[in-house]
Amino acid sequence: MSMRQLAGECFALFCAVMLGLAAGAVWLLPTVFLHRPLPWLAVLAGWLLGVAIRQWVHGKKWNAVALAALATVVASAYSRVLITAVNISAMTDYGLLGAARTAGLPMLLDLTRLATSKLDIVWTAAGVVVAAVTAMRSPAATSRKQN
């Protein structure tokens, strides 16, 4: 593998993680607005991430599948950590960033782990499957269905 290919793969990985973080942040909005967890949004996030990664991040099928699955897991984990920070913020009257900074990453991760149910994990797994299947499809087939 040449240096240029390695740099391209690293950049694709970076893009997939950033897309996952963005999807997790967007996932937080309806969750906070409705005041309830929405773990089923993992399926929608997986579909959107699968389409985005296949069309714009990576053209190779199996690389796109792995990156879409990773991005979905990142989105799910990040949204749960953000929800935990929102809950701490609501309980302590700190702002969201102040609560997250005061709690620290280890505490946020521990509280997130404790709050994650088996159903959340099942929905995340379903989202990963949807992302993988969506990323396996060719971009031409996806765009034809959208038209």
Side-chain angles (χ1 to χ4, degrees):
M1 179 178 269
S2 72
M3 199 61 158
R4 183 177 173 160
Q5 287 174 329
L6 181 62
E9 295 298 326
C10 289
F11 186 68
L13 177 64
F14 175 77
C15 288
V17 170
M18 290 299 114
L19 282 170
L21 291 173
V26 170
W27 185 344
L28 178 70
L29 296 175
T31 301
V32 170
F33 181 74
L34 296 174
H35 300 288
R36 66 177 49 141
L38 302 172
W40 53 269
L41 283 177
V43 175
L44 179 61
W47 178 76
L48 288 171
L49 290 167
V51 169
I53 288 173
R54 180 69 171 146
Q55 287 189 358
W56 296 300
V57 176
H58 213 296
K60 293 182 182 174
K61 185 183 288 189
W62 293 108
N63 292 359
V65 167
L67 291 174
L70 173 71
T72 304
V73 170
V74 167
S76 180
Y78 188 56
S79 71
R80 283 176 179 63
V81 169
L82 287 175
I83 290 166
T84 301
V86 165
N87 289 338
I88 292 172
S89 173
M91 289 186 282
T92 60
D93 283 337
Y94 280 111
L96 178 62
L97 294 177
R101 193 175 319 123
T102 302
L105 185 60
M107 183 178 184
L108 284 174
L109 293 176
D110 283 343
L111 291 173
T112 300
R113 183 181 50 80
L114 292 171
T116 301
S117 69
K118 290 181 182 177
L119 186 60
D120 294 336
I121 294 169
V122 169
W123 278 112
T124 299
V128 167
V129 169
V130 168
V133 169
T134 305
M136 285 178 84
R137 302 192 65 181
S138 68
T142 306
S143 64
R144 269 186 299 209
K145 282 199 163 194
Q146 291 174 353
N147 291 333

